[in-house]
Amino acid sequence: MIIERQEDVTEAVLTAMRGAENARLRTVMAAFVRHLHAFAREVRLTEPEFEYAIDVLNRIGQATNDSHNEGVLFSDALGLSTLVCLLNNGRSGATETAAALLGPFWRANAPLTENGGSIVRSPTPGPPLFVDCRICDAHGLPLAGVRVDVWQASPAGMYENQDETQADMNLRGVFETDAEGRFAFRSVKPAGYPVPTHGPTGEMLAAQKRHPYRPAHLHVLAFKTGFKTLITQVFVDDDEHLESDVVFGVTRALIGDFRKGEGPAPAADVAGEWFSLAYTFVMEPGEAVLPQPPIK
């Protein structure tokens, strides 16, 4: 098609793409082009703005490396990661546990840890936390043999891959549920933290006068053949940023009950303040697929 006017561009692109053999690819790309072109027309995108957008896209890629995924972070800060997650989870059964975004800090191959073991692998500040969780199906029946990844940031505000003072795989572990669907571990009570702001995501947040903080949380990824992989988070219930999470990840079902301990702690070496968390996760039937780790 010879382009006579700007209105011709969209149809020319859509026509050019119709030869794709993959039906899903045709559907997705046609919608993408229609909405992208409509966006440019709605805001009357200027050439300097277009050039800046391409520069941001390039710098997102340049800022991504083995220990940091700027693309995931940018998507998170736009709410797209949470939207895609909620579009694809929960409505077909297991609404008791809402899924949550994976985030940019999951690593594969965390150490297999015995039930009740500690994921604190180097000196880490913060009060001890004793976690006792259960995983069941949508009918409340316990699920044994679920592989469960857990990970969290240090209360100092960084995941161990961001912080050379922490041991490798600190505050990460893999567990397997027992016959009652339970897994338990010891950690430290998580604290809220700012997302990395050294790249395009930080520039966007500053321009929009948004704070960069996530409320304190634990990450959980549960995997078992015959069930849809559950990727979720449990948030500390008294965190000041629950209603303003920079990545829009807090849903009502994911606010946990982090209780201050009364009396002796479950471990003899704890003399001061400690906390406990009990939580039940629900998995729904489906395909068990692990996501691509955003970092190594």
Side-chain angles (χ1 to χ4, degrees), residues 153-287:
S154 162
M158 290 187 287
Y159 291 83
E160 102 292 355
N161 61 287
Q162 301 173 292
D163 182 6
E164 62 182 15
T165 68
Q166 297 184 52
D168 187 43
M169 294 293 179
N170 187 41
L171 303 180
R172 299 178 187 267
V174 175
F175 300 86
E176 185 172 300
T177 57
D178 62 18
E180 296 179 345
R182 295 188 178 277
F183 70 97
F185 62 94
R186 176 175 171 175
S187 185
V188 294
K189 186 185 179 188
Y193 60 87
V195 299
T197 56
H198 62 274
T201 304
E203 292 177 16
M204 179 182 70
L205 296 177
Q208 296 171 344
K209 304 297 183 184
R210 292 168 58 188
H211 73 70
Y213 285 92
R214 294 223 64 203
H217 60 278
L218 295 171
H219 288 272
V220 174
L221 186 155
F223 178 88
K224 181 179 174 65
T225 301
F227 291 84
K228 185 167 187 177
T229 301
L230 175 65
I231 300 169
T232 191
Q233 301 171 30
V234 182
F235 293 90
V236 175
D237 44 330
D238 62 354
D239 193 283
E240 64 178 314
H241 294 118
L242 281 177
E243 296 187 9
S244 61
D245 180 8
V246 67
V247 303
F248 310 99
V250 181
T251 62
R252 190 71 59 188
L254 299 184
I255 300 175
D257 183 12
F258 287 74
R259 296 191 178 186
K260 188 173 181 179
E262 298 180 359
D269 64 321
V270 177
E273 184 181 55
W274 60 279
F275 288 81
S276 67
L277 170 68
Y279 196 89
T280 298
F281 299 94
V282 179
M283 296 182 71
E284 56 185 304
E287 186 177 4

Side-chain angles (χ1 to χ4, degrees), residues 2 6 21 70 90 100 111 138 169 241 261 286:
I2 301 298
Q6 62 91 358
E21 294 182 357
E70 187 74 14
M169 294 293 179
H241 294 118

Side-chain angles (χ1 to χ4, degrees), residues 39 45-60 74 199-208:
F39 158 76
L45 194 66
T46 68
E47 290 176 330
E49 289 168 343
F50 174 72
E51 291 168 0
Y52 179 75
I54 295 299
D55 178 64
V56 168
L57 184 63
N58 289 337
R59 288 190 291 116
I60 288 173
F74 197 81
T201 304
E203 292 177 16
M204 179 182 70
L205 296 177
Q208 296 171 344

